[in-house]
Amino acid sequence: MDFITGEIIGIDKPLGWTSFDAVKRIRGGIQRRLGVKKFKVGHAGTLDPLATGVLIICTGRATRQITELQEGTKEYVAELKLGATTPSFDLETEIDATFPYEHITEDLILETLPRFTGKVMQVPPVFSAVKVDGKRAYSYARKGREVELKAKPLEISELELLSYEAPKLTLRVVCSKGTYIRALARDIGEALGSGAHLTGLRRTRVGDIKVDECLSIDRALDVIANAPLTFPES
């Protein structure tokens, strides 16, 4: 492996890990392999700690491709719970309100989902990294301060109902960069005349890199530790 010229490594990020946690572990493995104290490693597209799946990690000069890789289409499998909302729109925070959901049928869901496909405007979650006056929105939200976020344009090219067993709803989402699946859960809940929050999220594809092709953290570290090394010509 030529870590200096650059490698692009697909990682299946574990539940509970931040994207930085994964980068740190991979960087540490490369530093030990090369016998250096510093080495450039980055990721193309943050994945929340409560989500699993595809995280693209770039090494050396391949970090120059991060911006391009981030533009790739994303695919997710999302689990929603109807009838309840949380401030963060997922399990990071406790339920703050409950709503009836008995009126929601599979037919109603199928009638509603097309409203969220194509080019749409989405208001990001307040518990997000969106910057407001130079600070991350979540820094205000965690202090209980209200912030007003503007809707942003994005594109959802596919939105497929995989299963519905009330109050659990599972969707496949294919979308552009910048889409918050947590916010999509909020909006779908409201459109169904109820509330909803995200209870599970797995990113199954970024661009051409599929989760089935990705390595676990342990497997990636094993490959790094044992693969033959090559170095760029000086």
Side-chain angles (χ1 to χ4, degrees):
M1 301 184 80
D2 185 346
F3 297 113
I4 298 172
T5 299
E7 298 285 347
I8 296 174
I9 305 170
I11 296 294
D12 186 351
K13 189 191 77 66
L15 183 67
W17 286 48
T18 66
S19 298
F20 178 75
D21 290 336
V23 168
K24 184 177 179 181
R25 287 292 299 276
I26 298 301
R27 181 190 294 119
I30 294 172
Q31 288 173 174
R32 288 190 296 273
R33 186 74 169 97
L34 298 179
V36 298
K37 292 184 178 181
K38 291 185 178 181
F39 195 78
K40 193 171 185 178
V41 178
H43 66 80
T46 301
L47 197 56
D48 288 344
L50 294 178
T52 66
V54 180
L55 180 69
I56 300 175
I57 294 183
C58 302
T59 80
R61 296 170 193 161
T63 55
R64 299 170 185 171
Q65 300 179 48
I66 284 177
T67 300
E68 178 184 350
L69 292 167
Q70 286 176 333
E71 298 296 328
T73 299
K74 316 294 192 303
E75 180 184 66
Y76 298 89
V77 172
E79 294 180 0
L80 285 62
K81 184 177 181 180
L82 300 173
T85 59
T86 72
S88 60
F89 310 150
D90 64 6
L91 296 176
E92 181 182 343
T93 54
E94 298 293 328
I95 290 173
D96 61 355
T98 58
F99 304 86
Y101 61 85
E102 292 78 10
H103 65 284
I104 300 174
T105 64
E106 185 170 318
D107 286 342
L108 178 60
I109 295 169
L110 291 173
E111 290 172 7
T112 303
L113 292 183
R115 293 167 53 180
F116 297 95
T117 58
K119 295 182 178 180
V120 298
M121 299 294 290
Q122 183 186 78
V123 178
V126 291
F127 282 81
S128 69
V130 174
K131 284 194 174 182
V132 179
D133 297 330
K135 295 183 179 180
R136 302 294 184 184
Y138 60 69
S139 67
Y140 294 102
R142 288 171 181 162
K143 294 177 182 177
R145 294 177 58 184
E146 293 187 7
V147 291
E148 184 176 348
L149 300 179
K150 296 181 179 179
K152 295 187 175 184
L154 54 89
E155 185 169 3
I156 298 176
S157 54
E158 296 182 53
L159 187 53
E160 177 187 2
L161 175 63
L162 297 180
S163 67
Y164 178 53
E165 186 174 347
K168 181 181 175 181
L169 173 63
T170 304
L171 302 171
R172 185 179 70 89
V173 186
V174 180
C175 56
S176 65
K177 173 188 174 183
T179 304
Y180 284 93
I181 307 301
R182 290 178 286 143
L184 179 62
R186 169 204 61 197
D187 295 341
I188 289 174
E190 290 178 357
L192 290 170
S194 182
H197 62 282
L198 194 67
T199 56
L201 185 64
R202 183 159 177 78
R203 187 154 69 188
T204 53
R205 179 170 62 87
V206 176
D208 295 328
I209 299 179
K210 299 178 181 179
V211 70
D212 293 344
E213 303 164 352
C214 292
L215 303 175
S216 68
I217 293 289
D218 287 344
R219 177 57 182 153
L221 291 173
D222 183 63
V223 169
I224 291 167
N226 295 288
L229 294 177
T230 57
F231 296 91
E233 294 182 3
S234 58

